[in-house]
Amino acid sequence: MTPTRRTLLAAPLALAACDRFASAEPTPPNVPPLKPISPAPFGTAIKALQIDDPDWVALARANVSQLTPEWEMKMEYILANGLDRPNFDRSDRIAAFAQAEGMALHGHTLIWYSQGKEAFASLSGAAFDRAFDGYIATVAGRYRGKVRSWDVVNEPILDDGSGMRDCHWSARYGHDGYILRAFEQARAADPEAVLFLNEYNQESVPAKGAQFLKLVERLLKVGCPLQGLGLQSHLWIDIQPGVIAAFMREAAQFGLPIHVSELDCTLRTEDRLDFRSQAERLTAQSARVAELARAFAALPRAQQFAFTVWGLRDTDSWYRQGDKDDGKDEPLPFDSFGRPNPMAAALAAGFGGQ
Ligand code: 9MR
């Protein structure tokens, strides 16, 4: 139901008492741990510092069986000191933690349009090629046998879906060429890891979803060792009902494993005249998240690769860092105390087919 403008204007007064930040906070929903009820490994993003936080570790042990480094396996960390001095301290720490805890590890991400520009800036021709291939060989080689899978290429498509992004990689190898080369190098460096193409907004921007599917088709046609599709699933509350499930079904037609790879669902909207209460926003969020979980649970078993949230507690989220933090967003399944949010209940309901 779309609220009228009148109900929107009346909402803040009428529903202020339901706000989670008002004095009478609702009791957190009673939700079982997510790991045993997820149809596939249930994962979270991890930052190395969280290993030192006993509350985070306890929450992770109860709820997840897989980890994705949130930024410490990217070029921004590994190449922070340049190509000649790769840095693996924190990525190694996360890999060791995963192993000690018996959790699977998903590598994220080898080649991304938004990273590596500085480190590669002085290179051209054969030197560029050696560095590109060498980076993938070094990183994927180092974690061979330790990771279950890799996001080989991240976010190659333009936001409006009108085509592929131009970047320092495409400038040398072409739009599909850099993707193909990255997958081939990753395959050579780690023959066992499942290799993913990872992207966002496929469900909510139809042109982008279509562009993603066309790209997958082209890559498979030329023999690219692409083995899995990453649907990041950075959702928001006003995504039209039905489109999340519809895209999941379309993506599934390739028969490849699917990773819901970075789920969060922000309560924020761009509209300054949107006066919906926190409670109304949470209801909308639950509907979107349950739709995603249901659609994933409906996939054939062999295509359910993993279901990953982009952090456990709201305060762990990238939406709650620095300037972006409005103190109110609840994009993740647990609150700042590690208690289940409505989103955790929506996941449980969706996994159970409701
Ligand atoms: O959440 C991540 C944030 O901590 C990092 O600073 C940022 C840049 O590395 O990346 C964020 O994660 C992004 C992910 O790697 C790719 N998809 C979008 C995610 C949110 O921006």
Side-chain angles (χ1 to χ4, degrees):
M1 189 185 74
T2 314
T4 62
R5 200 172 141 69
R6 237 178 113 209
T7 56
L8 281 178
L9 289 172
L13 295 174
L15 288 158
C18 300
D19 194 295
R20 286 177 67 78
F21 298 93
S23 50
E25 244 194 41
T27 318
N30 197 3
V31 184
L34 297 170
K35 172 169 68 173
I37 60 169
S38 172
F42 193 83
T44 180
I46 176 176
K47 297 182 265 260
L49 275 178
Q50 287 165 329
I51 297 170
D52 301 322
D53 172 353
D55 294 339
W56 186 91
V57 171
L59 198 59
R61 281 186 182 138
N63 287 282
V64 313
S65 51
Q66 181 161 310
L67 300 169
T68 303
E70 188 167 342
W71 67 280
E72 289 142 321
M73 262 194 198
K74 296 172 178 168
M75 284 186 181
E76 76 179 279
Y77 179 73
I78 294 177
L79 297 184
N81 304 322
L83 270 164
D84 300 336
R85 293 172 51 214
N87 185 16
F88 292 108
D89 296 352
R90 293 186 185 191
S91 44
D92 282 354
R93 187 159 185 235
I94 292 173
F97 175 76
Q99 194 169 27
E101 296 291 331
M103 295 174 184
L105 187 62
H106 174 71
H108 174 79
T109 174
L110 291 170
I111 296 294
W112 189 8
Y113 77 89
S114 81
Q115 302 212 340
K117 198 168 177 185
E118 257 174 42
F120 280 71
S122 62
L123 304 175
S124 60
F128 191 102
D129 299 347
R130 273 195 302 277
F132 184 91
D133 297 350
Y135 179 81
I136 296 176
T138 304
V139 179
R142 185 179 190 90
Y143 295 110
R144 180 176 174 177
K146 296 186 173 145
V147 298
R148 175 184 183 218
S149 43
W150 268 108
D151 286 329
V152 177
V153 173
N154 198 35
E155 304 172 358
I157 299 170
L158 285 168
D159 278 344
D160 64 1
S162 61
M164 307 283 289
R165 291 182 197 270
D166 290 327
C167 62
H168 44 300
W169 314 124
S170 69
R172 169 107 186 111
Y173 303 119
H175 286 136
D176 289 6
Y178 84 88
I179 301 176
L180 192 55
R181 189 174 182 114
F183 273 89
E184 281 166 355
Q185 293 300 318
R187 175 74 312 143
D190 185 344
E192 282 93 39
V194 185
L195 305 182
F196 279 81
L197 177 70
N198 197 40
E199 185 56 272
Y200 63 90
N201 283 4
Q202 296 104 315
E203 67 292 287
S204 52
V205 180
K208 194 167 181 186
Q211 195 71 240
F212 178 80
L213 299 175
K214 277 198 284 183
L215 171 61
V216 171
E217 203 173 339
R218 285 199 307 276
L219 291 171
L220 293 175
K221 206 175 265 175
V222 295
C224 176
L226 161 66
Q227 295 171 302
L229 308 182
L231 313 188
Q232 291 185 11
S233 310
H234 291 288
L235 305 180
W236 62 91
I237 57 177
D238 291 325
I239 292 181
Q240 286 301 304
V243 300
I244 294 171
F247 187 79
M248 183 77 76
R249 283 192 296 270
E250 277 196 79
Q253 286 172 13
F254 290 105
L256 296 174
I258 290 188
H259 184 193
V260 169
S261 56
E262 304 182 13
L263 169 65
D264 50 29
C265 185
T266 181
L267 302 180
R268 294 181 214 180
T269 51
E270 301 293 312
D271 183 359
R272 283 189 301 122
L273 291 176
D274 180 352
F275 295 120
R276 277 174 293 181
S277 67
Q278 193 82 348
E280 285 174 296
R281 288 167 192 265
L282 288 167
T283 301
Q285 183 197 54
S286 291
R288 301 286 65 76
V289 169
E291 181 182 329
L292 178 72
R294 248 189 333 266
F296 184 79
L299 290 172
R301 179 67 199 93
Q303 287 183 261
Q304 293 167 332
F305 187 76
F307 193 104
T308 297
V309 289
W310 211 232
L312 291 172
R313 303 167 305 198
D314 296 325
T315 37
D316 296 323
S317 170
W318 63 295
Y319 283 112
R320 297 290 303 270
Q321 312 302 314
D323 294 348
K324 288 198 292 257
D325 187 13
D326 65 359
K328 291 205 293 196
D329 206 354
E330 297 180 32
L332 291 174
F334 299 95
D335 71 10
S336 54
F337 301 103
R339 299 174 305 188
N341 277 332
M343 184 174 169
L347 286 170
F351 289 151
Q354 295 156 28

